Structures are given as C-alpha cells and as structure tokens.
Amino acid sequence: MTATTGRRLLLVHAHPDDESIGNGATMARYAAEGARVTLVTCTLGEGGEVIQPELAHLTADRDDTLGAHRIGELTEAMRALGVTDFRFLGGPGRYRDSGMMGVPDNDAPGCFWQADVDEAADHLVAVVREVRPQVLVTYDENGGYGHPDHIQAHRVAMRAYELAADPAHRPELGAPWRIAKVYWNRMPRSVLDAGLAATAAEAAFPGTAQPADVPGVVADEVVTTVLDGTAHAGRKAAAMAAHATQITVNGSSFALSNHLGQPLFATEYYQLVHGQAGPGRPERDLFAGLDTTAPTPSEGNTR
Ligand SMILES: [Zn+2]
C-alpha cells in the first residue's frame, strides 16, 4: 500500500533506545494525532552493555543474544508510544552494532560502520518510496556524539534522501519521492545546562552526566524547531523504561549503563537542514508549512 495523503514522519536511528530517548515525545504526539510514524533502526544494538546483573549473560562477550532481546524491548517501547510501523534497515540483524569509536568491533565484517553507504541507503530508499514521508528525522554529520553507528545512520539517511528523489535511481525500488523537510536532532545548550542542574539537585542517581555525554548539543540559535511533547511525557518515559537493559528511568531523569543522571526531556528540539521552514520561529510542528491533505502530484503513477 502506498500512502498518498496525511502526515507521514520517518525517523532513522542507530540502535534500539535512541528513538525513545531522542524523539519519544515527538513520536507519541504524532502517532496520537493520527500521523503515520515510521521508525527505521539500523542495528540491533548487539554491542550494548546490560544494566541488570541477571541479564548480563546476554552481552556480546558472553551469550551474544542481546540483539534478539532488544527487538523485544523495542517492540514494547513502540507499544508505549503508539507506533506500529518499525523496521530494521535491511531486516533484523542485517547490520551489526559497531561498538564505540576506536574499538576492534569497528573493523568487524558485517558491522554497520563497514557497510557500503550506497548499498545500505538502498534499503532505506525502498522504505522512503513506499511510505512517502514528508519529514525525515535523523542525526547530524557527527551522529550527535561521534558513535560510528550514529555517524553511519546520518550518512545512510542523507544519501537515501537524495537517491529516493532521483527518477534514474533503481526504479524497481518504487516511484521517486522527494522528502519535503529534513531535520537533525538537537539539544540547545541552555536547556541542557538547566536540565543537568535540576538532575544534579534531584540526585536520583549517584552522579550526573556531563554536557559531552549528551548528543546533538548546539548553541540555542541553531535550533529551528521546538516540539512540545509535555502531554506525552508519560509515554516517552514508559518507552525509555521498556529499553530496560539500556536505561533506568527515575522520575524526571534517567541513566544509561554509566549510572549518570540525565534530564528526561518531554520537549524535543530540531534543526531544519533541508526544506522550507513554516511560519514562526521557532517552528512548533515538523510539518509546519506543508500541505499534507492534498494528493501528491505523482499519485497517479504509483503502485
Ligand atoms: Zn545509539
């Protein structure tokens, strides 16, 4: 089935849990408003650590079954957000978690960091041409914070954005589709500083994260778009908690396996990098300025 009218949002992420931390409120809000929300996750996060001691045997250096477990966590998180369309790039396990920058796993055959960008992008081109999103959300060129899988997710998403619109490229993957607006995930510095101070004061965790631990941090003026997801904060917290091997949620903060507290933001921030901004600054809606009710011009010649 090819969608032709209505709002459609595509998010591209590296590992299960990144979507809930970065965009959980956005995803819950648009899903609740009836938009089609599609998540593509590029790896199973096989290289992650595990918070619960009783599940420590799942890790790559022991049973190496964390990937399958994290599919279950992602499924539960999507249930919490009300998102039904979530997929893995090229299918589950097609690309393996590459580990943090500089570790030997970066060189392992089959890891996402070693993937050919054009080949990986074609899996996403097929999704773009099927779903026909008006809006794409992914990371900046540094993947937000330098993780190889996040950098690669950025490269693959931006390449797919180009290739999906090119009528000469792989016509068998579907009719060409131009995504109207592309956003990168952002965190304004002043918001982060205030949030970290509040987290430190709350002291729900033994320590507090540093700004460098948080992805996508930029000067406030770089942010173009502010998504108020306050009404969906509970859903976001539930989705994050569903990634129980990776995240501990405690009140208005959370921690990863380093047990350092971070603020759990119900408002999420973006930078528009392709397409026309809607009226007002900052934008308050990723679809601002788009007519998403009219049939698309190419509707007549698609499947
Ligand atoms: Zn990640």
Side-chain angles (χ1 to χ4, degrees), residues 290-302:
L290 299 177
D291 181 1
T292 55
T293 58
T296 56
S298 53
E299 186 183 18
N301 54 27
T302 59

Side-chain angles (χ1 to χ4, degrees), residues 13-289:
H13 275 289
H15 312 109
D17 79 357
D18 294 316
E19 79 297 326
S20 296
I21 298 170
N23 311 106
T26 302
M27 294 171 75
R29 176 176 144 179
Y30 283 117
E33 290 177 0
R36 178 169 180 177
V37 178
T38 300
L39 169 68
V40 174
T41 306
C42 296
T43 78
L44 301 182
E46 298 93 332
E49 295 179 45
V50 169
I51 289 174
Q52 310 98 310
E54 67 275 16
L55 293 177
H57 62 93
L58 298 175
T59 56
D61 55 344
R62 293 177 64 184
D63 297 352
D64 195 15
T65 50
L66 184 56
H69 185 83
R70 292 186 72 177
I71 294 175
E73 291 183 339
L74 182 65
T75 303
E76 200 185 318
M78 293 304 98
R79 197 176 298 130
L81 297 180
V83 170
T84 54
D85 185 9
F86 55 100
R87 317 158 181 218
F88 289 95
L89 187 69
R94 173 66 181 80
Y95 298 105
R96 190 178 166 95
D97 189 326
S98 312
M100 293 291 184
M101 189 63 89
V103 305
D105 281 356
N106 297 173
D107 304 318
C111 83
F112 192 42
W113 186 235
Q114 293 296 326
D116 179 84
V117 170
D118 279 12
E119 190 183 304
D122 272 347
H123 296 299
L124 195 55
V125 167
V127 175
V128 169
R129 288 179 176 177
E130 174 204 332
V131 174
R132 307 181 139 218
Q134 298 97 347
V135 174
L136 168 67
V137 168
T138 190
Y139 314 114
D140 67 21
E141 67 282 353
N142 188 40
Y145 72 114
H147 190 296
D149 292 328
H150 287 240
I151 294 171
Q152 190 78 319
H154 159 86
R155 292 174 179 168
V156 167
M158 299 309 288
R159 187 68 178 131
Y161 159 74
E162 291 174 2
L163 292 174
D166 179 358
H169 180 74
R170 302 283 305 269
E172 75 278 14
L173 296 180
W177 180 254
R178 167 67 67 185
I179 299 170
K181 297 171 90 176
V182 179
Y183 290 95
W184 293 345
N185 295 306
R186 288 307 190 191
M187 173 55 61
R189 183 61 196 249
S190 72
V191 173
L192 177 62
D193 287 346
L196 288 173
T199 297
E202 190 183 66
F205 293 98
T208 304
Q210 296 296 312
D213 299 324
V214 177
V217 181
V218 287
D220 293 9
E221 56 269 25
V222 174
V223 171
T224 60
T225 310
V226 177
L227 243 289
D228 181 359
T230 311
H232 305 279
R235 283 174 172 266
K236 175 171 180 170
M240 289 174 64
H243 293 288
T245 60
Q246 308 300 309
I247 302 173
T248 309
V249 175
N250 192 340
S252 57
S253 55
F254 73 98
L256 304 174
S257 60
N258 59 15
H259 305 295
L260 298 176
Q262 298 186 33
L264 197 167
F265 291 109
T267 297
E268 294 165 348
Y269 301 87
Y270 299 92
Q271 178 187 3
L272 178 68
V273 294
H274 284 297
Q276 198 71 39
R281 177 89 188 228
E283 292 182 307
R284 298 281 174 181
D285 174 9
L286 300 176
F287 295 90

